[in-house]
Amino acid sequence: MQTTQAQPEPKATRPGTGAAGPEPKTAAQFVARARQIMRAEKGWTFVVRGSESAVMQGQAPSSATYAASVHRTTDPAALQQTGTVTTSKGVRKPEVVYVVGGTGYVKDAAEGWKKGPLSDPDIANDVEDPVADLDAFAAYAKSVGVSRTATGVRLQVSASGWQLSAARNRPALKRAVREVEPTLGQLRKAGVTATDSQITLKSFSETWDLDRAHGYRPASHRYAFTFLVPFQGGDITVSQEVRADNGGVFGGSVALPSGVK
């Protein structure tokens, strides 16, 4: 493994001048500018925090939190993610994730390494990659709302009321559907028989805050969703929320630990 610490912040880019071009106005233009800023550096660091839960009325919730640091290089594209999962019972499990050459490598606690393409949901759900998330966001940027903040611009898309069967076909909901599938699989093994057309998206939001002082560089990315799963006359509420904060430029490199193939 070869990494180095985060490097000093780049100098602020004065918006609307220089090579970056004119001031963005639409959501698509802001996303394009943000992607340009991210690609211009060798790499980035991120601090990631998340939580997920499955709650049924009258029973103790099943939940977990996650905290990780991420080093993401842009050319070549590679990622190192080191974090800890903490269950509602206080059990802490370390997790290490690499993405090198388009292949993901995941090691949970004392278990062996598992690997696979990023198209494999079992691998993709373990990877927190804000650079790739921003690229995906560009595909539905035309439907995104734009609002001004004290430090720049907020881009946000939200949704509610979709049946899971219909949500599968919505680009903005692709990740939420992928992320909820493992929990639904566990619930079905436990006897929950709700079909995709009965499971409802209660709420979904994805938010990017862009820092105007740094040329509309992404400062943070947040996404959250809640699905309602009918069961025995009530609902099981399945929720997840993840936030990634930009920790600055990363000037090192990422390589797999020795012995990992």
Side-chain angles (χ1 to χ4, degrees):
M1 176 180 67
Q2 182 183 2
T3 62
T4 64
Q5 297 300 312
Q7 300 299 306
E9 293 287 327
K11 294 182 180 180
T13 300
R14 186 157 59 93
T17 65
E23 182 85 356
K25 295 181 179 180
T26 67
Q29 290 171 347
F30 279 112
V31 173
R33 177 66 59 81
R35 294 175 72 193
Q36 180 185 30
I37 292 289
M38 299 306 280
R39 290 194 298 264
E41 298 291 346
K42 181 179 179 180
W44 298 90
T45 63
F46 299 94
V47 177
V48 176
R49 297 188 181 279
S51 62
E52 59 182 25
S53 64
V55 181
M56 185 168 63
Q57 187 174 0
Q59 295 190 12
S62 174
S63 62
T65 60
Y66 181 64
S69 61
V70 175
H71 290 156
R72 170 57 152 87
T73 60
T74 56
D75 187 17
L79 176 144
Q80 178 196 352
Q81 176 182 319
T82 306
T84 302
V85 178
T86 304
T87 70
S88 54
K89 296 181 180 180
V91 178
R92 295 168 57 88
K93 299 180 180 180
E95 180 186 76
V96 180
V97 178
Y98 284 86
V99 178
V100 177
T103 299
Y105 303 79
V106 180
K107 190 177 191 304
D108 293 317
E111 298 178 7
W113 290 90
K114 65 178 181 180
K115 72 173 185 177
L118 296 181
S119 57
D120 180 351
D122 191 40
I123 297 294
N125 284 347
D126 287 320
V127 177
E128 296 297 339
D129 185 351
V131 176
D133 291 338
L134 184 62
D135 290 340
F137 192 69
Y140 44 93
K142 291 183 179 180
S143 61
V144 170
V146 180
S147 60
R148 297 286 175 173
T149 67
T151 57
V153 166
R154 174 166 294 172
L155 307 178
Q156 187 171 65
V157 60
S158 59
S160 63
W162 290 90
Q163 295 176 336
L164 178 58
S165 53
R168 294 183 185 281
N169 299 319
R170 307 299 299 179
L173 302 178
K174 181 179 179 180
R175 180 175 179 179
V177 171
R178 188 195 73 210
E179 293 273 7
V180 79
E181 287 288 9
T183 300
L184 296 181
Q186 294 173 4
L187 291 176
R188 283 166 175 149
K189 287 181 180 179
V192 176
T193 59
T195 64
D196 285 2
S197 61
Q198 295 171 318
I199 297 170
T200 304
L201 177 68
K202 180 181 180 181
S203 63
F204 166 82
S205 66
E206 182 176 7
T207 306
W208 288 88
D209 282 328
L210 308 183
D211 182 2
R212 187 175 188 271
H214 290 86
Y216 296 111
R217 183 184 79 181
S220 68
H221 175 225
R222 303 184 302 279
Y223 79 91
F225 63 77
T226 297
F227 283 92
L228 300 179
V229 184
F231 181 65
Q232 293 183 348
D235 288 313
I236 300 172
T237 304
V238 180
S239 300
Q240 184 179 126
E241 182 173 354
V242 178
R243 174 176 178 139
D245 290 303
N246 193 333
V249 174
F250 173 64
S253 59
V254 172
L256 289 174
S258 59
V260 179
K261 298 180 180 180

